[in-house]
Amino acid sequence: MTGSAFTSLFVVFVLAAVAWRIWLGVRQARHVQRHRDHVPPDFEALIPIEAHRKAADYTLDKQRLALAETVAIDAALLLFLTVGGGLAAIDALAARLFGEGTLRELATVYGVMAVGLVAGLPFDAWRTFVIEARHGFNRTTPGLFVADIVKGVALSLALGIPLLMIVFWFVRAAGSLWWLYTWGAWIAFTLLLVTVFPRWIAPLFNRFTPLEEGELRRRIENLLSRCGFRAEGLFVMDGSKRSSHGNAYFTGFGRTKRIVFFDTLMQRLTPAEIEAVLAHELGHFARGHIPRLLAVRFALALALLALLGWLYREPAFYQALGLNEPHIGAALAGFALLLPAFTFPFQPLASLIARKQEFEADAFAAANASATDLVSALAKLYRDNASTLTPDPLHSLVYDSHPPAVLRIDHLRRGREAPSI
Ligand SMILES: [Zn+2]
């Protein structure tokens, strides 16, 4: 393949992905707008019309911002950085500042990341301080917003630089199979990260306090022993520091597993409802969703690294990006930029698998806690998070990792198992 053929192929894919996203976004906005004044029949007793309208307005606001972001970042910035010569310019600057070698490679990778970060900032700020604030969700102060960015960048340097140095070393020392060694390093790195995340990384951003003694703790401990599940601890996180959205999650791996509740969730749900939400999360563990997800990720990483190993030696790849000479820093940055344009057709498949797992976790919760409590917890979460009950079916099919509320609650009420797909 020649450089210009590669360029044309890439541009066609980027434009197709952007057109597809815009079309889906417009469909979603129209659908939500059309159903703004009617609560779906199953929810009439659970969600008042004002809450339903609020969810519609919130969804529409987010959708409009997403459309602007798609055009500005996923199309304009991406084309500028790749075929527009942006990456080549960053790389040339890195070479002028640092000559050849590791520093230049690192500067190219982080230079591209910095451009992406800065370009995305206005959108993040708008989302937090305009949209979230307008709908009463935002609790992030400007100081916290900046502190989060600074900590995020510091973390990405602290974790990313050692990993990149290892990759550069493999490229120089390990011959044409460097990408296979890189895969091994990537797996070790991911497992390490999952293990240290709850104890060392998450506390940089939030405070975690052990769950108090009382009815809730008793209920949860009962549930855990009923399901034969061991966790390292039960914690409450100060999610209210950033937003009033509520959630619960599991974190960690093996013996470092922790159960975390957002304080905002604790304020709104009854102990029985929290137990049902937790039983759903336990369902993900019991059905082996987490190791399976990791296995899929590792397999995908192997395929992508093999592709990168091939592109690294392919002159057309560098010509398409306007680069004069092959080198690993630019290859990594260019690959990371090009990749999403080619993976978007797989999104519906990933969403489909995720939704199937949600049904399985719901069925587990219904069997080990209470379906009725989970239904009322979900209805409260939909209401309080202003999540739309009436997504466009096609938009939902492509993007949603959770089944639409109507379908989910219908399954729980009828006590049906996950649909076989
Ligand atoms: Zn789930």
Side-chain angles (χ1 to χ4, degrees):
M1 199 186 285
T2 64
S4 61
F6 195 95
T7 305
S8 318
L9 185 73
F10 176 63
V11 172
V12 166
F13 266 82
V14 169
L15 295 180
V18 166
W20 167 241
R21 284 202 197 117
I22 290 176
W23 182 63
L24 286 174
V26 170
R27 277 183 66 109
Q28 167 83 338
R30 285 213 187 118
H31 197 91
V32 170
Q33 182 69 50
R34 209 177 308 133
H35 293 81
R36 186 176 178 276
D37 294 317
H38 304 284
V39 181
D42 281 355
F43 286 87
E44 275 165 355
L46 300 166
I47 309 254
I49 183 71
E50 305 79 59
H52 180 67
R53 289 201 181 111
K54 178 187 159 143
D57 296 341
Y58 178 53
T59 306
L60 289 170
D61 270 355
K62 285 194 296 183
Q63 196 61 56
R64 274 189 282 269
L65 182 68
L67 283 177
E69 210 170 359
T70 298
V71 173
I73 307 283
D74 299 337
L77 180 70
L78 180 60
L79 289 175
F80 161 73
L81 279 175
T82 51
V83 296
L87 169 60
I90 291 168
D91 186 48
L93 181 65
R96 214 169 38 237
L97 291 173
F98 302 108
E100 295 293 312
T102 305
L103 265 184
R104 179 251 186 124
E105 311 279 9
L106 286 174
T108 300
V109 172
Y110 278 100
V112 171
M113 279 168 65
V115 171
L117 176 76
V118 170
L121 271 185
F123 294 96
D124 291 338
W126 189 269
R127 188 172 1 254
T128 306
F129 297 111
V130 178
I131 296 181
E132 293 290 306
R134 183 185 293 157
H135 297 277
F137 292 124
N138 182 46
R139 305 248 176 98
T140 305
T141 58
L144 182 60
F145 184 79
V146 173
D148 279 350
I149 294 169
V150 171
K151 283 185 209 166
V153 169
L155 199 61
S156 128
L157 293 169
L159 297 172
I161 289 178
L163 183 67
L164 284 169
M165 305 262 287
I166 292 173
V167 176
F168 300 157
W169 179 65
F170 283 148
V171 169
R172 281 175 197 127
S176 61
L177 283 182
W178 64 269
W179 55 272
L180 195 58
Y181 295 97
T182 296
W183 184 58
W186 171 250
I187 291 181
F189 179 77
T190 305
L191 293 178
L192 179 75
L193 206 60
V194 184
T195 313
V196 302
F197 181 85
R199 196 169 278 208
W200 304 106
I201 299 179
L204 297 174
F205 294 90
N206 282 97
R207 213 178 46 235
F208 294 82
T209 40
L211 181 64
E212 291 170 10
E213 297 293 333
E215 189 203 342
L216 179 62
R217 198 179 172 108
R218 261 196 319 280
R219 269 178 174 275
I220 289 174
E221 281 167 354
N222 273 334
L223 172 71
L224 294 178
S225 69
R226 233 171 29 241
C227 303
F229 186 89
R230 290 168 64 91
E232 196 205 27
L234 300 167
F235 292 89
V236 179
M237 187 187 104
D238 59 344
S240 57
K241 178 173 154 184
R242 291 189 181 79
S243 121
S244 58
H245 289 299
N247 210 342
Y249 69 89
F250 268 99
T251 161
F253 201 57
R255 287 204 298 171
T256 63
K257 281 196 293 285
R258 287 180 171 198
I259 295 167
V260 176
F261 300 102
F262 281 39
D263 53 358
T264 38
L265 186 85
M266 315 268 301
Q267 290 152 12
R268 290 192 203 122
L269 300 189
T270 65
E273 288 166 344
I274 294 177
E275 182 186 343
V277 169
L278 181 62
H280 168 98
E281 298 298 328
L282 279 177
H284 284 303
F285 261 93
R287 298 293 171 93
H289 294 163
I290 285 114
R292 233 181 294 163
L293 187 74
L294 273 181
V296 169
R297 263 197 213 157
F298 290 156
L300 208 60
L302 180 64
L304 293 178
L305 281 166
L307 179 64
L308 177 61
W310 171 70
L311 282 175
Y312 178 65
R313 287 178 284 119
E314 186 61 41
F317 173 58
Y318 296 93
Q319 283 160 23
L321 293 168
L323 297 159
N324 300 325
E325 18 129 34
H327 76 94
I328 186 62
L332 278 176
F335 186 65
L337 289 170
L338 297 179
L339 197 61
F342 296 103
T343 52
F344 84 96
F346 300 102
Q347 175 124 40
L349 181 66
S351 302
L352 182 76
I353 295 169
R355 286 194 303 269
K356 188 171 179 300
Q357 297 186 336
E358 291 306 321
F359 278 126
E360 288 176 4
D362 278 352
F364 183 90
N368 290 281
S370 145
T372 316
D373 288 326
L374 187 56
V375 168
S376 68
L378 285 174
K380 279 189 191 173
L381 289 174
Y382 271 95
R383 186 192 64 206
D384 293 348
N385 289 333
S387 309
T388 181
L389 298 172
T390 56
D392 171 57
L394 185 63
H395 185 277
S396 173
L397 216 56
V398 172
Y399 288 112
D400 288 353
S401 61
H402 287 66
V406 173
L407 212 59
R408 223 176 142 185
I409 287 184
D410 182 55
H411 275 256
L412 280 167
R413 280 190 174 146
R414 293 169 191 229
R416 267 191 290 177
E417 261 289 325
S420 46
I421 297 164

